[in-house]
Amino acid sequence: MAQGAGPGAEIGFEDDRKTGRLLAVEAGTAVGHIAYFVLDEPPHALVAVHTVVEPGHEGRGIAGRLVETFYAIAAAEDVPVVPLCPYAASWAAKHPDRAPEAPAGVVAAAEAQRARHRGRG
């Protein structure tokens, strides 16, 4: 995957659906992730709740690439994205051509599911 560590190394993305994380991986090390969940009810939207870039890797566009990849995964699965994460929501607002807005009912269902599961495990 990567040709060496550091700013010039290639970054790959791995969707770990079981743990609800889209990982940005460089030289075998996770350098960032989006924490998310899948909406329980149809249309089973992907719901971004937190975007993290590890210390020392900020300022390289990793967060934006994570969100862009997240939307691409959802598009490939033909499901909407609900960006409850402030960073993902901001990125989506700046890139409406790549980040279609989820229907209001899907957003409400995602917010309700997140509220039900807060504080668990």
Side-chain angles (χ1 to χ4, degrees), residues 7 11 16 21-22 30 34 42 49-50 52 54-55 58-59 65 68 78-79 81-82 93 95 102 104-105 113 116 118:
I11 295 177
D16 187 349
R21 287 184 179 227
L22 174 63
I34 290 180
V49 294
H50 195 52
V52 175
E54 298 301 330
E58 305 96 334
R65 289 177 60 200
E68 183 174 24
D78 198 26
V79 298
V81 167
V82 178
H95 301 90
Q113 183 173 325
R116 284 192 308 271
R118 271 202 181 138

Side-chain angles (χ1 to χ4, degrees), residues 33-50:
H33 71 271
I34 290 180
Y36 72 96
F37 64 89
V38 178
L39 191 62
D40 289 338
E41 61 191 59
H44 304 294
L46 300 183
V47 184
V49 294
H50 195 52

Side-chain angles (χ1 to χ4, degrees), residues 69-81:
T69 300
F70 193 68
Y71 271 91
I73 289 167
E77 296 178 9
D78 198 26
V79 298
V81 167

